[in-house]
Amino acid sequence: MSTRPSPLLSNVSYQCLHPYPFPPLLPCPFFKAVPRRPTPILRMRARDDDMEDDIIGCRRRYEGRQYRRQVGQQIRQLRQQHMMINLLNLRADHVVSNTPFNDSGWGADKVKDDNPRFKYGTPPDNNGNYVWIQHYIYHLAPNGKAGFVMASGALSGGSIEGEIRKKIIEGDPIYGIIATPAKLFYTVSILVSILFLRKSKPEYMKRKVLFVYAKQMFKPISRRQVVFTDEHIARIVEKFRMFEAGDPEEKINELGFAKVATIEEIESFD
């Protein structure tokens, strides 16, 4: 059996210089040899030369497994970095989400002060409502829209959340809010609202928000759940289409159901 030393047993390690997340196997021009400290090789006094060859062969296989494991870890790390960069740069034309309500322990202590998603402020760790809202705002494309459900408590909370809400209102990404009836969700009985965001508003919608009060519009389907009927949905959609089309506010406003409010009016009640 040959005892020619393997490259993996020499005093040389290999460093990946490939610029992409999937480096090829050796040999490759993107790899270069880097001197390293010698690794002690198992030595054994053996009467039989074949035994020594077997030991060297085992060592080679062990080194080979270690090398493949290191390359695999490097590939996984590069893939994760590549994925994080892509997610950070993601811009969506439309976002539709059933947001977790009042999510606690979301990891506020791990967020850096310069995180671009939280330009309105870092929400408290015991409630992640404004984590999601700011997350959607950040990832919208220039003409993107978002629609999502949110616990109604997010619209009236104080402290840090109240300060963040005021900054978001002043930033003017919200263009519609629907107050929904209780028991709309089978698993929770808390009141929820549906919020609509736009990254940029047309001139006639700027500093205005359409409020729709739909708490009395529902059809019970069980003791624990209610739903919107097609007629209810059509009535709500009609108001939003009128608002987006730039119809006069006098035509959109309906006592007890729909109201176009200015940012100044909202701030006076907040």
Side-chain angles (χ1 to χ4, degrees), residues 22 28 70-71 93 95 105 122 149 177 188 205 208 210 217 241:
F22 308 100
C28 174
Q70 292 174 2
V71 171
D93 293 322
V95 174
T122 303
V149 293
I177 298 176
V188 293
M205 290 177 64
K208 295 179 181 179
L210 172 60
M217 297 173 58
R241 285 180 174 169

Side-chain angles (χ1 to χ4, degrees), residues 74-90:
Q74 189 177 44
I75 291 174
R76 285 191 292 272
Q77 290 174 358
L78 289 171
R79 282 176 175 171
Q80 290 174 358
Q81 293 173 5
H82 185 68
M83 184 179 298
M84 289 302 296
I85 291 173
N86 285 344
L87 289 176
L88 189 62
N89 295 328
L90 173 69

Side-chain angles (χ1 to χ4, degrees), residues 193-245:
S193 298
I194 305 175
L195 276 68
F196 297 92
L197 310 175
R198 294 182 70 141
K199 193 73 170 184
S200 59
K201 294 181 179 180
E203 194 64 33
Y204 56 83
M205 290 177 64
K206 287 184 177 179
R207 300 190 66 78
K208 295 179 181 179
V209 179
L210 172 60
F211 288 87
V212 173
Y213 186 83
K215 288 186 177 181
Q216 306 302 324
M217 297 173 58
F218 61 86
K219 176 184 177 181
I221 59 173
S222 71
R223 294 174 56 188
R224 298 183 58 182
Q225 191 176 15
V226 300
V227 296
F228 285 133
T229 64
D230 291 341
E231 291 76 13
H232 296 153
I233 295 173
R235 188 180 174 193
I236 295 171
V237 169
E238 181 186 15
K239 293 297 182 181
F240 273 89
R241 285 180 174 169
M242 293 168 64
F243 182 50
E244 292 189 335

